[in-house]
Amino acid sequence: MNKRQLGALLAVNLRLVNPQATDRYRKKGKNGTELTNKLKLQFLTNTFIFLAIYGFTMFSIDFSKMPGMFTFYVGLFVLLGISQSISGLYNVFFAGKDINSYLPLPFRQNEIFLSKVLIVAFNVFPFTLPLLIAFFLTGWHSGIMIPVSLIMSLVVYLFIMTIIFMFCALVVFSLTKTKVFREHQNLVMNGLMGISMVIAIGGIMLMNNSNNYTATGARYDRSVISIFMPIFQIFNVPVSVNSGISWLGLLVLLAVFGGILKYLIVPQLSEQLTTVNSASLNRSNQRKAVKRQGLNANLDSYNWQLLKEPNLLLQVVMNSIMIPVIFIISFSFAKLPSNLPLKWIGVFFVGGIAFSSFTTNQSALVSNLISLDRANFEFVRSLPISMKQYLHRKFLFGYLMQIILNVVIVIIMSVVLKAGLVMALALICGSAWGTYLMSLHYFSRDYRLRLTNWTNVTELFNRGGGNLGMVATMFASVFISVIIVVAYSMLLINTPWAAMINIIALAVILVVSWLLLRHYRVKFWSQFD
Amino acid sequence: MIDINDLSKSYGNKEALQHLTLQIKPGEIFGFLGHNGAGKSTTIKNLVSIIQPTSGSITVDGLELSEHRQEIKQKIAYVPDTPDIFLQLTAAEYWDLLAAAYDLSESEVKARRQKLVELFNMGLHVDETIASFSHGMRQKTVLIGALLSEPDIWILDEPMQGLDPQAAYDLKQLMKAHAKKGKTVIFSTHNLDTAQQLCDELAILKTGKLIYNGSVKNLLAQYENESLEEIYLQMAGRQGDGHLVDDIEGDINE
């Protein structure tokens, strides 16, 4: 392993996944090693901030007395880690355009491999940090000294994440060796990511529904997921045979996956990447000619083609739906009462708006459509067409895509939660309106932060605050939404003026909406008049 | 010495390269000529390990490329046909990356880098991102990166594209000097004057097939009183449709 080469590759990749922060530091005159150190420091600082936020949220849960809840959390975030890692690994090794630039250079295979996997790790860590907190809290509540519990939880967290990365790398690299993959690359990878996502969502829903709350002492707990119990034992009974066997199990898994990667995958990395690269060039780029009438029809067709960026759609679906859903499941414990009277319609409408604010985030399609244009965007400016019309068409296209996704989920949620027809309609309408407002926000943000020279869609998702920023926004949205919905509900329950409260709520929504619409009309759309 | 043996490359049903066999000797400037899609870049991408051939083999100094990629890459400097790479890096960061890739020490590259930066007039732009550069400046950045390490073989895919006349002239001089030291320069070009000025040996490709391999001198000798452009167009150009330009010009005039 050549540390200098690994360092150089990591430095490049850090810039790639943090384009906005890189620009910000460059404007402050930072370059080279200094810039790399700043980016590393930023990652560490953000990680600590998030640990504090997760810690604050989860502080009150005594996992040591709730093995079911512990294993539920582990299962939840392991599944999330797996699906994120599979898409991340595929993205950096096979879908990113930068890998072609490395192929002719004499970097060693293990350095390219490690630098790319580390970048995937940087992206996956923010989503899986609750695992670390759960480990620490379990150890601490079980009577382990704080420093020891900290070290143990960090080691087990890193072991588990390494096993996840190695397992996923094995899946992705084994699959890309097959003939079927070479001939149908996009189909196979979309299939794999689709399956991993379905397994993750299915697994989460299954775990969430298997909450036959069983009494353990005075507390209520979920059913234990036995496959993750060894991890619980490491922290709950650290000095025991079971704990020792669990440690051994983790070490064996590490050794087995590490060995397979070291001897079977990494030595053939360049050869495999070159082969996949050749295969991707083999595919026909011909498309059946369709005659379209008018500019709008042609723009719609063009925008539709932008979605065919490999891996984009699944990443979008994953980030804009799966992650919010997981966060809602894991951080909210509210249950929906049945047979709600009509006065609750406003709460459901507000709930719909809140839901759309989780799912319409910086990873949504509408939030990236302008940047997906790449250099075309600047070229379009030179054409004799109205920029306002061009962007408006793009916005409508993105909004339509987003609303389809959101409404489908809201309908599924309404069916699962057995919400009545009227409440379901209120939820759908709220979601549609919220999606519109959020789409406006993220579309103008995309214009403001537009990045047209990206090599990998992850760079687009990481604009602004990056992955950590996305999680922060989601947390803030969940937090504020819960406060608003709970306060609204409390007022309805505890006061006799339900109609008056609903009218005031409607007025607030109208005023806020009008202010937002006016803001985006003046600040965004008017610049294209 | 580079030996290309019966090299073929297909993209789906399209045969981009068909049974190419040729030899490139040290001390030679070797040029690939051909229309767009003739197979020049496909040959070069095979040489620099970006793609793999469908069949055939390449050996460099007796080493089989498919088995010794790492060693062979260390001997090659490559300039791609489009210089739009590592756009998020500054020029200086890009050169640092290449220095790390070729494992060159700071002292080894410092003086050479400074001279190259001066030669290509990039002094004011070393700390700017490649994304902010014009096509020509990107080309210069990539060229400086390739020339930093002084490897034995230069493989340059249309290297003059976008360069200003001074930079193009300087690059030609560098290529000549490199070959004079007994090292190899392989390049592709659409510019026949450049090919005539520089090449010791030529390969002309047409729809993936080699239609000429030999020296420029021999080629000119075969067609007396004809320029390289005329000869090239006779060999690789369209047949029997000289009226097309007249047709278009006529339309424009109407």
PDB file of all heavy atoms in Angstrom, chain A residues 2 4-5 15 26 32 103 106-107 271 274-275 277-278 282 453 459, chain B residues 10-11 49-50 52 69-70 73 88 90 93 100-101 103-104 129 131:
ATOM      1  N   ASN A   2       0.700   2.102  -1.004  1.00  0.00           N
ATOM      2  CA  ASN A   2       1.463   3.344  -1.065  1.00  0.00           C
ATOM      3  C   ASN A   2       0.600   4.460  -0.453  1.00  0.00           C
ATOM      4  O   ASN A   2      -0.414   4.874  -1.023  1.00  0.00           O
ATOM      5  CB  ASN A   2       1.781   3.640  -2.536  1.00  0.00           C
ATOM      6  CG  ASN A   2       2.621   4.879  -2.710  1.00  0.00           C
ATOM      7  OD1 ASN A   2       2.471   5.843  -1.957  1.00  0.00           O
ATOM      8  ND2 ASN A   2       3.493   4.856  -3.692  1.00  0.00           N
ATOM      9  N   ARG A   4       1.081   7.560   0.011  1.00  0.00           N
ATOM     10  CA  ARG A   4       1.006   8.828  -0.723  1.00  0.00           C
ATOM     11  C   ARG A   4      -0.062   8.753  -1.822  1.00  0.00           C
ATOM     12  O   ARG A   4      -0.858   9.674  -2.017  1.00  0.00           O
ATOM     13  CB  ARG A   4       2.381   9.101  -1.338  1.00  0.00           C
ATOM     14  CG  ARG A   4       2.409  10.403  -2.085  1.00  0.00           C
ATOM     15  CD  ARG A   4       3.767  10.672  -2.644  1.00  0.00           C
ATOM     16  NE  ARG A   4       3.722  11.835  -3.493  1.00  0.00           N
ATOM     17  CZ  ARG A   4       4.474  11.975  -4.558  1.00  0.00           C
ATOM     18  NH1 ARG A   4       5.331  11.023  -4.887  1.00  0.00           N
ATOM     19  NH2 ARG A   4       4.395  13.046  -5.283  1.00  0.00           N
ATOM     20  N   GLN A   5      -0.064   7.600  -2.534  1.00  0.00           N
ATOM     21  CA  GLN A   5      -1.052   7.450  -3.605  1.00  0.00           C
ATOM     22  C   GLN A   5      -2.469   7.392  -3.024  1.00  0.00           C
ATOM     23  O   GLN A   5      -3.388   8.012  -3.562  1.00  0.00           O
ATOM     24  CB  GLN A   5      -0.761   6.187  -4.413  1.00  0.00           C
ATOM     25  CG  GLN A   5       0.521   6.310  -5.228  1.00  0.00           C
ATOM     26  CD  GLN A   5       0.653   5.234  -6.286  1.00  0.00           C
ATOM     27  OE1 GLN A   5       0.056   4.184  -6.165  1.00  0.00           O
ATOM     28  NE2 GLN A   5       1.461   5.491  -7.298  1.00  0.00           N
ATOM     29  N   ARG A  15     -12.912  15.996  -2.558  1.00  0.00           N
ATOM     30  CA  ARG A  15     -13.366  17.178  -3.300  1.00  0.00           C
ATOM     31  C   ARG A  15     -14.590  16.842  -4.147  1.00  0.00           C
ATOM     32  O   ARG A  15     -15.518  17.633  -4.280  1.00  0.00           O
ATOM     33  CB  ARG A  15     -12.249  17.717  -4.198  1.00  0.00           C
ATOM     34  CG  ARG A  15     -11.168  18.450  -3.428  1.00  0.00           C
ATOM     35  CD  ARG A  15      -9.863  18.469  -4.231  1.00  0.00           C
ATOM     36  NE  ARG A  15      -8.818  19.250  -3.611  1.00  0.00           N
ATOM     37  CZ  ARG A  15      -8.113  18.879  -2.545  1.00  0.00           C
ATOM     38  NH1 ARG A  15      -8.372  17.729  -1.952  1.00  0.00           N
ATOM     39  NH2 ARG A  15      -7.160  19.643  -2.053  1.00  0.00           N
ATOM     40  N   ARG A  26     -12.148  27.117  -1.251  1.00  0.00           N
ATOM     41  CA  ARG A  26     -11.279  27.691  -2.293  1.00  0.00           C
ATOM     42  C   ARG A  26     -11.405  29.206  -2.315  1.00  0.00           C
ATOM     43  O   ARG A  26     -10.432  29.919  -2.514  1.00  0.00           O
ATOM     44  CB  ARG A  26     -11.659  27.140  -3.661  1.00  0.00           C
ATOM     45  CG  ARG A  26     -11.174  25.746  -3.922  1.00  0.00           C
ATOM     46  CD  ARG A  26     -11.093  25.508  -5.430  1.00  0.00           C
ATOM     47  NE  ARG A  26     -11.126  24.093  -5.786  1.00  0.00           N
ATOM     48  CZ  ARG A  26     -10.150  23.241  -5.580  1.00  0.00           C
ATOM     49  NH1 ARG A  26      -9.050  23.650  -4.980  1.00  0.00           N
ATOM     50  NH2 ARG A  26     -10.249  21.991  -5.937  1.00  0.00           N
ATOM     51  N   GLY A  32      -4.814  22.578  -2.113  1.00  0.00           N
ATOM     52  CA  GLY A  32      -3.915  21.458  -1.822  1.00  0.00           C
ATOM     53  C   GLY A  32      -4.184  20.789  -0.482  1.00  0.00           C
ATOM     54  O   GLY A  32      -5.329  20.536  -0.111  1.00  0.00           O
ATOM     55  N   LEU A 103      -8.065   4.816 -14.938  1.00  0.00           N
ATOM     56  CA  LEU A 103      -7.614   3.575 -15.574  1.00  0.00           C
ATOM     57  C   LEU A 103      -6.248   3.668 -16.250  1.00  0.00           C
ATOM     58  O   LEU A 103      -5.446   2.748 -16.124  1.00  0.00           O
ATOM     59  CB  LEU A 103      -8.676   3.077 -16.567  1.00  0.00           C
ATOM     60  CG  LEU A 103      -9.929   2.469 -15.938  1.00  0.00           C
ATOM     61  CD1 LEU A 103     -10.949   2.099 -17.007  1.00  0.00           C
ATOM     62  CD2 LEU A 103      -9.577   1.231 -15.124  1.00  0.00           C
ATOM     63  N   PRO A 106      -0.922   4.811 -13.327  1.00  0.00           N
ATOM     64  CA  PRO A 106      -0.355   3.645 -12.623  1.00  0.00           C
ATOM     65  C   PRO A 106      -0.662   3.603 -11.125  1.00  0.00           C
ATOM     66  O   PRO A 106       0.245   3.414 -10.317  1.00  0.00           O
ATOM     67  CB  PRO A 106       1.148   3.811 -12.882  1.00  0.00           C
ATOM     68  CG  PRO A 106       1.355   5.247 -13.085  1.00  0.00           C
ATOM     69  CD  PRO A 106       0.101   5.813 -13.648  1.00  0.00           C
ATOM     70  N   PHE A 107      -1.921   3.824 -10.752  1.00  0.00           N
ATOM     71  CA  PHE A 107      -2.299   3.621  -9.351  1.00  0.00           C
ATOM     72  C   PHE A 107      -2.451   2.123  -9.121  1.00  0.00           C
ATOM     73  O   PHE A 107      -2.868   1.395 -10.018  1.00  0.00           O
ATOM     74  CB  PHE A 107      -3.638   4.309  -9.046  1.00  0.00           C
ATOM     75  CG  PHE A 107      -3.527   5.796  -8.879  1.00  0.00           C
ATOM     76  CD1 PHE A 107      -4.113   6.651  -9.784  1.00  0.00           C
ATOM     77  CD2 PHE A 107      -2.820   6.331  -7.814  1.00  0.00           C
ATOM     78  CE1 PHE A 107      -4.012   8.023  -9.643  1.00  0.00           C
ATOM     79  CE2 PHE A 107      -2.718   7.703  -7.655  1.00  0.00           C
ATOM     80  CZ  PHE A 107      -3.310   8.551  -8.573  1.00  0.00           C
ATOM     81  N   GLU A 271      -8.763  -5.010 -14.174  1.00  0.00           N
ATOM     82  CA  GLU A 271      -9.241  -5.843 -15.275  1.00  0.00           C
ATOM     83  C   GLU A 271     -10.772  -5.792 -15.339  1.00  0.00           C
ATOM     84  O   GLU A 271     -11.349  -5.642 -16.400  1.00  0.00           O
ATOM     85  CB  GLU A 271      -8.770  -7.285 -15.013  1.00  0.00           C
ATOM     86  CG  GLU A 271      -8.370  -8.053 -16.252  1.00  0.00           C
ATOM     87  CD  GLU A 271      -7.241  -7.412 -17.029  1.00  0.00           C
ATOM     88  OE1 GLU A 271      -6.387  -6.745 -16.421  1.00  0.00           O
ATOM     89  OE2 GLU A 271      -7.238  -7.552 -18.259  1.00  0.00           O
ATOM     90  N   THR A 274     -11.979  -2.328 -16.454  1.00  0.00           N
ATOM     91  CA  THR A 274     -11.749  -2.173 -17.893  1.00  0.00           C
ATOM     92  C   THR A 274     -12.777  -2.975 -18.680  1.00  0.00           C
ATOM     93  O   THR A 274     -13.308  -2.515 -19.685  1.00  0.00           O
ATOM     94  CB  THR A 274     -10.330  -2.649 -18.257  1.00  0.00           C
ATOM     95  OG1 THR A 274      -9.434  -2.156 -17.287  1.00  0.00           O
ATOM     96  CG2 THR A 274      -9.910  -2.166 -19.614  1.00  0.00           C
ATOM     97  N   THR A 275     -13.054  -4.193 -18.197  1.00  0.00           N
ATOM     98  CA  THR A 275     -14.030  -5.036 -18.885  1.00  0.00           C
ATOM     99  C   THR A 275     -15.410  -4.393 -18.866  1.00  0.00           C
ATOM    100  O   THR A 275     -16.096  -4.316 -19.885  1.00  0.00           O
ATOM    101  CB  THR A 275     -14.126  -6.420 -18.186  1.00  0.00           C
ATOM    102  OG1 THR A 275     -12.818  -6.912 -18.005  1.00  0.00           O
ATOM    103  CG2 THR A 275     -14.936  -7.394 -18.995  1.00  0.00           C
ATOM    104  N   ASN A 277     -16.075  -1.292 -18.445  1.00  0.00           N
ATOM    105  CA  ASN A 277     -15.990  -0.092 -19.258  1.00  0.00           C
ATOM    106  C   ASN A 277     -16.179  -0.432 -20.739  1.00  0.00           C
ATOM    107  O   ASN A 277     -16.905   0.242 -21.460  1.00  0.00           O
ATOM    108  CB  ASN A 277     -14.606   0.516 -19.034  1.00  0.00           C
ATOM    109  CG  ASN A 277     -14.580   1.963 -19.363  1.00  0.00           C
ATOM    110  OD1 ASN A 277     -15.604   2.614 -19.284  1.00  0.00           O
ATOM    111  ND2 ASN A 277     -13.443   2.469 -19.729  1.00  0.00           N
ATOM    112  N   SER A 278     -15.516  -1.506 -21.173  1.00  0.00           N
ATOM    113  CA  SER A 278     -15.640  -1.929 -22.575  1.00  0.00           C
ATOM    114  C   SER A 278     -17.073  -2.322 -22.867  1.00  0.00           C
ATOM    115  O   SER A 278     -17.629  -1.969 -23.895  1.00  0.00           O
ATOM    116  CB  SER A 278     -14.745  -3.130 -22.852  1.00  0.00           C
ATOM    117  OG  SER A 278     -13.428  -2.826 -22.544  1.00  0.00           O
ATOM    118  N   ASN A 282     -20.191  -0.993 -25.468  1.00  0.00           N
ATOM    119  CA  ASN A 282     -20.779  -1.887 -26.466  1.00  0.00           C
ATOM    120  C   ASN A 282     -22.247  -1.620 -26.723  1.00  0.00           C
ATOM    121  O   ASN A 282     -22.774  -1.953 -27.766  1.00  0.00           O
ATOM    122  CB  ASN A 282     -20.678  -3.343 -25.994  1.00  0.00           C
ATOM    123  CG  ASN A 282     -19.281  -3.871 -26.166  1.00  0.00           C
ATOM    124  OD1 ASN A 282     -18.449  -3.238 -26.804  1.00  0.00           O
ATOM    125  ND2 ASN A 282     -19.016  -5.024 -25.593  1.00  0.00           N
ATOM    126  N   ASN A 453     -20.672  20.378 -13.980  1.00  0.00           N
ATOM    127  CA  ASN A 453     -19.509  19.553 -14.377  1.00  0.00           C
ATOM    128  C   ASN A 453     -19.333  18.350 -13.461  1.00  0.00           C
ATOM    129  O   ASN A 453     -18.225  17.916 -13.205  1.00  0.00           O
ATOM    130  CB  ASN A 453     -18.238  20.402 -14.396  1.00  0.00           C
ATOM    131  CG  ASN A 453     -18.018  21.112 -13.083  1.00  0.00           C
ATOM    132  OD1 ASN A 453     -18.529  20.670 -12.066  1.00  0.00           O
ATOM    133  ND2 ASN A 453     -17.270  22.192 -13.090  1.00  0.00           N
ATOM    134  N   GLU A 459     -22.450  13.682  -6.199  1.00  0.00           N
ATOM    135  CA  GLU A 459     -21.962  15.063  -6.040  1.00  0.00           C
ATOM    136  C   GLU A 459     -23.131  16.041  -6.001  1.00  0.00           C
ATOM    137  O   GLU A 459     -23.097  17.036  -5.276  1.00  0.00           O
ATOM    138  CB  GLU A 459     -21.065  15.459  -7.209  1.00  0.00           C
ATOM    139  CG  GLU A 459     -19.747  14.738  -7.238  1.00  0.00           C
ATOM    140  CD  GLU A 459     -19.049  14.975  -8.559  1.00  0.00           C
ATOM    141  OE1 GLU A 459     -18.966  16.110  -9.024  1.00  0.00           O
ATOM    142  OE2 GLU A 459     -18.588  13.972  -9.151  1.00  0.00           O
TER     143      GLU A 459
ATOM    144  N   SER B  10     -15.015  -4.819 -30.940  1.00  0.00           N
ATOM    145  CA  SER B  10     -16.396  -4.623 -31.402  1.00  0.00           C
ATOM    146  C   SER B  10     -17.199  -3.931 -30.324  1.00  0.00           C
ATOM    147  O   SER B  10     -17.028  -4.205 -29.139  1.00  0.00           O
ATOM    148  CB  SER B  10     -17.056  -5.975 -31.694  1.00  0.00           C
ATOM    149  OG  SER B  10     -16.316  -6.646 -32.667  1.00  0.00           O
ATOM    150  N   TYR B  11     -18.065  -3.017 -30.729  1.00  0.00           N
ATOM    151  CA  TYR B  11     -19.052  -2.421 -29.827  1.00  0.00           C
ATOM    152  C   TYR B  11     -20.404  -2.957 -30.258  1.00  0.00           C
ATOM    153  O   TYR B  11     -20.982  -2.479 -31.233  1.00  0.00           O
ATOM    154  CB  TYR B  11     -19.029  -0.890 -29.937  1.00  0.00           C
ATOM    155  CG  TYR B  11     -17.733  -0.252 -29.472  1.00  0.00           C
ATOM    156  CD1 TYR B  11     -17.029   0.608 -30.300  1.00  0.00           C
ATOM    157  CD2 TYR B  11     -17.225  -0.519 -28.207  1.00  0.00           C
ATOM    158  CE1 TYR B  11     -15.836   1.190 -29.876  1.00  0.00           C
ATOM    159  CE2 TYR B  11     -16.041   0.058 -27.777  1.00  0.00           C
ATOM    160  CZ  TYR B  11     -15.353   0.910 -28.615  1.00  0.00           C
ATOM    161  OH  TYR B  11     -14.178   1.476 -28.192  1.00  0.00           O
ATOM    162  N   SER B  49      -5.219   0.950 -21.644  1.00  0.00           N
ATOM    163  CA  SER B  49      -5.998   0.136 -20.686  1.00  0.00           C
ATOM    164  C   SER B  49      -7.340   0.727 -20.291  1.00  0.00           C
ATOM    165  O   SER B  49      -7.882   0.374 -19.250  1.00  0.00           O
ATOM    166  CB  SER B  49      -5.197  -0.124 -19.400  1.00  0.00           C
ATOM    167  OG  SER B  49      -4.031  -0.816 -19.674  1.00  0.00           O
ATOM    168  N   ILE B  50      -7.889   1.605 -21.100  1.00  0.00           N
ATOM    169  CA  ILE B  50      -9.237   2.100 -20.766  1.00  0.00           C
ATOM    170  C   ILE B  50     -10.283   1.077 -21.203  1.00  0.00           C
ATOM    171  O   ILE B  50     -11.294   0.900 -20.550  1.00  0.00           O
ATOM    172  CB  ILE B  50      -9.501   3.486 -21.412  1.00  0.00           C
ATOM    173  CG1 ILE B  50      -8.630   4.532 -20.727  1.00  0.00           C
ATOM    174  CG2 ILE B  50     -10.970   3.875 -21.319  1.00  0.00           C
ATOM    175  CD1 ILE B  50      -8.793   5.930 -21.247  1.00  0.00           C
ATOM    176  N   GLN B  52     -10.785  -3.031 -23.204  1.00  0.00           N
ATOM    177  CA  GLN B  52     -10.099  -4.276 -23.536  1.00  0.00           C
ATOM    178  C   GLN B  52     -10.481  -4.705 -24.942  1.00  0.00           C
ATOM    179  O   GLN B  52     -11.630  -4.517 -25.352  1.00  0.00           O
ATOM    180  CB  GLN B  52     -10.525  -5.375 -22.569  1.00  0.00           C
ATOM    181  CG  GLN B  52      -9.888  -5.235 -21.222  1.00  0.00           C
ATOM    182  CD  GLN B  52     -10.242  -6.392 -20.321  1.00  0.00           C
ATOM    183  OE1 GLN B  52     -11.132  -7.177 -20.610  1.00  0.00           O
ATOM    184  NE2 GLN B  52      -9.541  -6.483 -19.218  1.00  0.00           N
ATOM    185  N   ARG B  69      -0.317  -4.790 -16.666  1.00  0.00           N
ATOM    186  CA  ARG B  69      -0.856  -3.433 -16.830  1.00  0.00           C
ATOM    187  C   ARG B  69      -0.121  -2.415 -15.969  1.00  0.00           C
ATOM    188  O   ARG B  69       0.224  -1.331 -16.423  1.00  0.00           O
ATOM    189  CB  ARG B  69      -2.344  -3.411 -16.484  1.00  0.00           C
ATOM    190  CG  ARG B  69      -3.207  -4.060 -17.536  1.00  0.00           C
ATOM    191  CD  ARG B  69      -4.662  -3.654 -17.424  1.00  0.00           C
ATOM    192  NE  ARG B  69      -5.482  -4.528 -18.252  1.00  0.00           N
ATOM    193  CZ  ARG B  69      -5.636  -4.385 -19.572  1.00  0.00           C
ATOM    194  NH1 ARG B  69      -5.037  -3.407 -20.204  1.00  0.00           N
ATOM    195  NH2 ARG B  69      -6.390  -5.219 -20.257  1.00  0.00           N
ATOM    196  N   GLN B  70       0.101  -2.780 -14.703  1.00  0.00           N
ATOM    197  CA  GLN B  70       0.700  -1.829 -13.765  1.00  0.00           C
ATOM    198  C   GLN B  70       2.083  -1.365 -14.250  1.00  0.00           C
ATOM    199  O   GLN B  70       2.354  -0.162 -14.299  1.00  0.00           O
ATOM    200  CB  GLN B  70       0.791  -2.490 -12.381  1.00  0.00           C
ATOM    201  CG  GLN B  70       1.144  -1.563 -11.256  1.00  0.00           C
ATOM    202  CD  GLN B  70       0.047  -0.522 -11.011  1.00  0.00           C
ATOM    203  OE1 GLN B  70      -1.101  -0.714 -11.379  1.00  0.00           O
ATOM    204  NE2 GLN B  70       0.439   0.595 -10.430  1.00  0.00           N
ATOM    205  N   LYS B  73       1.673   0.724 -17.493  1.00  0.00           N
ATOM    206  CA  LYS B  73       1.115   2.063 -17.259  1.00  0.00           C
ATOM    207  C   LYS B  73       2.192   3.009 -16.761  1.00  0.00           C
ATOM    208  O   LYS B  73       2.193   4.202 -17.057  1.00  0.00           O
ATOM    209  CB  LYS B  73      -0.011   1.988 -16.220  1.00  0.00           C
ATOM    210  CG  LYS B  73      -1.330   1.494 -16.758  1.00  0.00           C
ATOM    211  CD  LYS B  73      -2.337   1.454 -15.620  1.00  0.00           C
ATOM    212  CE  LYS B  73      -3.623   0.774 -16.016  1.00  0.00           C
ATOM    213  NZ  LYS B  73      -4.565   0.725 -14.882  1.00  0.00           N
ATOM    214  N   GLN B  88     -12.984  19.238 -10.952  1.00  0.00           N
ATOM    215  CA  GLN B  88     -13.115  19.882  -9.629  1.00  0.00           C
ATOM    216  C   GLN B  88     -11.764  20.235  -9.017  1.00  0.00           C
ATOM    217  O   GLN B  88     -11.707  20.931  -8.013  1.00  0.00           O
ATOM    218  CB  GLN B  88     -13.865  18.966  -8.654  1.00  0.00           C
ATOM    219  CG  GLN B  88     -15.343  18.821  -8.933  1.00  0.00           C
ATOM    220  CD  GLN B  88     -15.626  17.819 -10.035  1.00  0.00           C
ATOM    221  OE1 GLN B  88     -14.716  17.304 -10.684  1.00  0.00           O
ATOM    222  NE2 GLN B  88     -16.886  17.551 -10.275  1.00  0.00           N
ATOM    223  N   THR B  90      -7.893  21.904  -8.953  1.00  0.00           N
ATOM    224  CA  THR B  90      -7.135  22.993  -9.582  1.00  0.00           C
ATOM    225  C   THR B  90      -6.049  22.341 -10.431  1.00  0.00           C
ATOM    226  O   THR B  90      -5.742  21.145 -10.262  1.00  0.00           O
ATOM    227  CB  THR B  90      -6.459  23.886  -8.525  1.00  0.00           C
ATOM    228  OG1 THR B  90      -5.533  23.087  -7.790  1.00  0.00           O
ATOM    229  CG2 THR B  90      -7.472  24.517  -7.584  1.00  0.00           C
ATOM    230  N   GLU B  93      -3.427  20.876  -8.242  1.00  0.00           N
ATOM    231  CA  GLU B  93      -3.859  19.637  -7.562  1.00  0.00           C
ATOM    232  C   GLU B  93      -3.851  18.458  -8.538  1.00  0.00           C
ATOM    233  O   GLU B  93      -3.511  17.328  -8.164  1.00  0.00           O
ATOM    234  CB  GLU B  93      -5.261  19.827  -6.974  1.00  0.00           C
ATOM    235  CG  GLU B  93      -5.279  20.701  -5.724  1.00  0.00           C
ATOM    236  CD  GLU B  93      -6.669  21.126  -5.285  1.00  0.00           C
ATOM    237  OE1 GLU B  93      -7.646  20.883  -6.027  1.00  0.00           O
ATOM    238  OE2 GLU B  93      -6.783  21.715  -4.198  1.00  0.00           O
ATOM    239  N   ALA B 100       1.757  11.804  -7.739  1.00  0.00           N
ATOM    240  CA  ALA B 100       1.553  10.695  -6.792  1.00  0.00           C
ATOM    241  C   ALA B 100       1.339   9.388  -7.548  1.00  0.00           C
ATOM    242  O   ALA B 100       1.880   8.350  -7.154  1.00  0.00           O
ATOM    243  CB  ALA B 100       0.358  10.991  -5.892  1.00  0.00           C
ATOM    244  N   ALA B 101       0.581   9.454  -8.645  1.00  0.00           N
ATOM    245  CA  ALA B 101       0.305   8.235  -9.415  1.00  0.00           C
ATOM    246  C   ALA B 101       1.601   7.623  -9.936  1.00  0.00           C
ATOM    247  O   ALA B 101       1.793   6.414  -9.891  1.00  0.00           O
ATOM    248  CB  ALA B 101      -0.629   8.552 -10.573  1.00  0.00           C
ATOM    249  N   ASP B 103       4.446   8.177  -8.668  1.00  0.00           N
ATOM    250  CA  ASP B 103       5.347   8.107  -7.516  1.00  0.00           C
ATOM    251  C   ASP B 103       6.604   8.960  -7.723  1.00  0.00           C
ATOM    252  O   ASP B 103       7.726   8.504  -7.490  1.00  0.00           O
ATOM    253  CB  ASP B 103       5.726   6.645  -7.242  1.00  0.00           C
ATOM    254  CG  ASP B 103       5.748   6.382  -5.753  1.00  0.00           C
ATOM    255  OD1 ASP B 103       5.498   7.333  -4.984  1.00  0.00           O
ATOM    256  OD2 ASP B 103       6.024   5.240  -5.352  1.00  0.00           O
ATOM    257  N   LEU B 104       6.414  10.180  -8.164  1.00  0.00           N
ATOM    258  CA  LEU B 104       7.542  11.089  -8.390  1.00  0.00           C
ATOM    259  C   LEU B 104       7.738  11.939  -7.143  1.00  0.00           C
ATOM    260  O   LEU B 104       6.761  12.407  -6.556  1.00  0.00           O
ATOM    261  CB  LEU B 104       7.253  12.019  -9.568  1.00  0.00           C
ATOM    262  CG  LEU B 104       6.865  11.346 -10.885  1.00  0.00           C
ATOM    263  CD1 LEU B 104       6.353  12.389 -11.864  1.00  0.00           C
ATOM    264  CD2 LEU B 104       8.053  10.612 -11.473  1.00  0.00           C
ATOM    265  N   THR B 129      -9.550  26.183 -10.740  1.00  0.00           N
ATOM    266  CA  THR B 129     -10.082  24.838 -11.031  1.00  0.00           C
ATOM    267  C   THR B 129     -10.122  24.610 -12.542  1.00  0.00           C
ATOM    268  O   THR B 129     -10.358  25.538 -13.320  1.00  0.00           O
ATOM    269  CB  THR B 129     -11.510  24.652 -10.473  1.00  0.00           C
ATOM    270  OG1 THR B 129     -12.331  25.682 -11.000  1.00  0.00           O
ATOM    271  CG2 THR B 129     -11.527  24.689  -8.969  1.00  0.00           C
ATOM    272  N   ALA B 131     -12.309  23.171 -14.136  1.00  0.00           N
ATOM    273  CA  ALA B 131     -13.666  23.453 -14.633  1.00  0.00           C
ATOM    274  C   ALA B 131     -13.783  24.870 -15.181  1.00  0.00           C
ATOM    275  O   ALA B 131     -14.568  25.131 -16.084  1.00  0.00           O
ATOM    276  CB  ALA B 131     -14.673  23.248 -13.516  1.00  0.00           C
TER     277      ALA B 131
END
